Amino acid sequence: MAKFKGAIVVNTERCKGCSLCAVACPKDVIALAAKKVNVHGYPYVEAARPDDCIGCASCAIVCPDGCITVYKKRMED
């Protein structure tokens, strides 16, 4: 049986750092970037533990600004 691995891409320039995605992530993959801000002065989120992503897309669903894209990759046994 094939397993799936997820990968997220965050548009950091649009992110306002609300952290709703981090709360929604069941695997604690997403975290607010420490001491980093985008061009608008907002702290943004990033994939702190990208290898743990399962591709569930909970983060993308709750993001009010549509900043997150989720990809799923099929992993061979």
Side-chain angles (χ1 to χ4, degrees):
M1 184 164 137
K3 292 189 176 192
F4 289 93
K5 181 161 176 50
I8 66 164
V9 176
V10 179
N11 181 337
T12 57
E13 297 308 320
R14 288 181 58 189
C15 180
K16 293 181 182 165
C18 70
S19 295
L20 289 174
C21 55
V23 173
C25 181
K27 296 292 185 176
D28 294 323
V29 171
I30 303 171
L32 207 54
K35 299 180 183 176
K36 295 181 190 174
V37 294
N38 62 21
V39 295
H40 304 291
Y42 292 114
Y44 55 85
V45 295
E46 61 187 359
R49 296 177 13 192
D51 291 338
D52 293 341
C53 182
I54 57 173
C56 68
S58 293
C59 56
I61 292 167
V62 301
C63 180
D65 296 308
C67 301
I68 301 173
T69 304
V70 179
Y71 297 95
K72 278 185 148 181
K73 300 184 279 187
R74 183 179 176 153
M75 305 302 289
E76 298 299 325
D77 289 338

